[in-house]
Amino acid sequence: MLSPQLIDEKEHNPLILIVDDIEAHAELMEAFLIREGYNVQATTNAQEAIRFTKNLSPDLAILDVMMPGMNGYDLCKNLKSLSGRKFFPIILLTGLDQLENKITGIEAGADDFFSKPFNSIELTTKIRSLIKLKRLQDELDHSEDIILTLAVAIEAKDPYTKGHSERVSNLSKKLAIFIGLSQAESITIKKAATLHDIGKIGLKEDILHKRGPLQKSELELIRRHPIIGEDICKPLHSLKQILPGIRYHHERWDGRGYPDRLKSEDIPIIARIISVIDSFDVIVSERPYRRSYSINAAINLMNTEKSSGQWDPWLVEKFITMIENDPLIHKGE
Ligand SMILES: [Fe+2]
């Protein structure tokens, strides 16, 4: 843990991690960066660098490439995977100015390279811009976290929807992978599924759970939630790719859905997936007006209804195959 004083200093002076197996080089770089106003943690040892990254969360790392044991490329990969989805800028310092070394560095996730001896003005300019980028990225992540937390908090208030978005997001991701979409696409779909109903934020529970038929004005209010959800997430650049999943998750394969009455393959795959999984979760969940279906009964129902025009029939078939072959899903009556 950082001491309160170090946290305070880190707010103003970013912390840079230096890793160089030659102690004199590490010290030289350390002295240079301290003069530039940075906090510095230097080490000659890759394992210690990993420990520092875990414990101190530096804002940027400068790694020497040629080191005994774990070289700079492998250390770079390690540190990048430690930082998960958070942006952690890494600069590689190399005596090798050849193209293939740069390619290896890019493959390891490095953000920039400097050949020794480096130009100090160029290096500090690059450090400043990477740290600025990191700060912006952290702020964006923070805003995204707030929206995701909000989505879970809204549905947690209601016993009928509690856990719905988490279940829909996990199954949507599974189905995305099952039909052969990439890992990156499946992560986008998971995020979209978490937020698909965030537009219900302003809707009163008595409308959402009304037992009798809805009045026209109430129906119109409910049918606005995909557009409201899209409006909530639109300002965040990092959520741009999930917007079609939110806006179109109530479109129908036969074109009778809302809000845009898109039809068949005009409906983006991200929304078609959420639509199938959303329906499945509603069927197997209890509602104020009916008891829940068992998973087997839900599968039978969707199988019978797969060509009813609500969903992409091919996708429903894939979904049923996936569920039927999933040992983790209990299908008992
Ligand atoms: Fe919805």
Side-chain angles (χ1 to χ4, degrees):
M1 285 288 283
L2 291 178
S3 69
Q5 190 199 349
L6 193 49
I7 288 171
D8 194 42
E9 276 179 21
K10 195 171 173 296
E11 280 299 307
H12 300 98
N13 304 83
L15 177 65
I16 297 180
L17 173 69
I18 298 168
V19 190
D20 196 318
D21 62 308
I22 299 172
E23 202 170 345
H25 290 178
E27 282 174 2
L28 212 62
M29 180 68 88
E30 182 176 9
F32 166 68
L33 290 174
I34 288 173
R35 268 202 315 277
E36 292 293 318
Y38 293 103
N39 288 312
V40 176
Q41 186 68 59
T43 174
T44 55
N45 177 298
Q47 291 307 329
E48 198 168 52
I50 291 171
R51 255 199 321 281
F52 282 149
T53 304
K54 281 183 189 161
N55 298 333
L56 303 176
S57 305
D59 297 285
L60 180 141
I62 300 176
L63 316 179
D64 183 31
V65 168
M66 303 296 282
M67 293 193 290
M70 193 186 294
N71 66 30
Y73 301 127
D74 291 336
L75 180 57
C76 179
K77 273 189 214 157
N78 260 285
L79 299 187
K80 283 279 181 181
S81 80
L82 262 185
S83 56
R85 69 186 181 95
K86 283 207 172 303
F87 176 52
F88 178 36
I90 296 182
I91 295 174
L92 291 180
L93 277 188
T94 163
L96 318 156
D97 199 15
Q98 283 162 350
L99 186 61
E100 65 253 38
N101 295 312
K102 290 199 171 172
I103 292 170
T104 312
I106 289 167
E107 283 169 354
D111 298 281
D112 215 327
F113 307 87
F114 278 82
S115 305
K116 294 177 187 172
F118 57 87
N119 176 312
S120 57
I121 295 174
E122 267 181 46
L123 182 66
T124 46
T125 307
K126 183 43 88 174
I127 289 173
R128 262 201 301 278
S129 76
L130 281 173
I131 286 177
K132 195 172 166 196
L133 190 63
K134 179 177 167 50
R135 290 269 150 97
L136 286 172
Q137 197 71 49
D138 286 351
E139 276 172 28
L140 272 181
D141 282 348
H142 189 55
S143 315
E144 199 178 303
D145 285 346
I146 289 173
I147 293 186
L148 286 165
T149 311
L150 197 63
V152 175
I154 292 164
E155 67 176 29
K157 273 174 42 190
D158 178 349
Y160 294 107
T161 56
K162 195 171 178 208
H164 171 70
S165 68
E166 193 187 349
R167 290 190 301 272
V168 175
S169 68
N170 288 334
L171 264 186
S172 296
K173 185 180 176 205
K174 262 190 180 181
L175 182 56
I177 291 169
F178 189 75
I179 63 167
L181 298 186
S182 70
Q183 188 68 18
E185 286 168 318
S186 74
I187 290 170
T188 302
I189 288 170
K190 184 173 168 44
K191 210 184 281 177
T194 306
L195 294 172
H196 72 281
D197 270 343
I198 189 142
K200 285 185 176 169
I201 189 165
L203 286 175
K204 293 217 172 79
E205 277 163 35
D206 53 349
I207 297 186
L208 289 172
H209 300 317
K210 194 169 173 181
R211 282 164 194 262
L214 291 163
Q215 289 176 4
K216 196 167 173 254
S217 59
E218 293 172 330
L219 203 61
E220 273 170 14
L221 269 179
I222 286 188
R223 290 187 160 197
R224 281 187 53 73
H225 81 268
I227 298 173
I228 295 170
E230 186 192 34
D231 285 344
I232 290 171
C233 297
K234 213 183 250 171
L236 274 189
H237 185 70
S238 61
L239 295 180
K240 198 167 165 235
Q241 285 172 308
I242 74 162
L243 298 180
I246 296 177
R247 183 171 181 112
Y248 303 123
H249 76 275
H250 282 291
E251 296 295 350
R252 290 173 52 108
W253 187 251
D254 59 11
R256 296 194 299 117
Y258 61 91
D260 298 290
R261 296 179 79 86
L262 294 188
K263 202 174 173 183
S264 55
E265 280 172 1
D266 288 342
I267 307 165
I269 185 73
I270 179 172
R272 276 184 271 152
I273 289 177
I274 295 172
S275 167
V276 170
I277 307 293
D278 187 23
S279 303
F280 173 76
D281 193 69
V282 170
I283 296 168
V284 296
S285 303
E286 197 165 311
R287 281 293 182 265
Y289 40 85
R290 62 152 174 81
R291 291 176 64 81
S292 61
Y293 281 62
S294 69
I295 290 180
N296 262 342
I299 290 174
N300 288 339
L301 179 70
M302 289 181 83
N303 205 9
T304 321
E305 299 276 309
K306 70 175 176 238
S307 301
S308 66
Q310 182 167 355
W311 313 289
D312 174 348
W314 172 82
L315 202 54
V316 175
E317 255 179 46
K318 288 281 174 194
F319 172 63
I320 291 171
T321 311
M322 180 185 87
I323 291 281
E324 286 180 337
N325 292 295
D326 192 329
L328 295 175
I329 297 178
H330 177 65
K331 292 179 279 293
E333 291 294 331

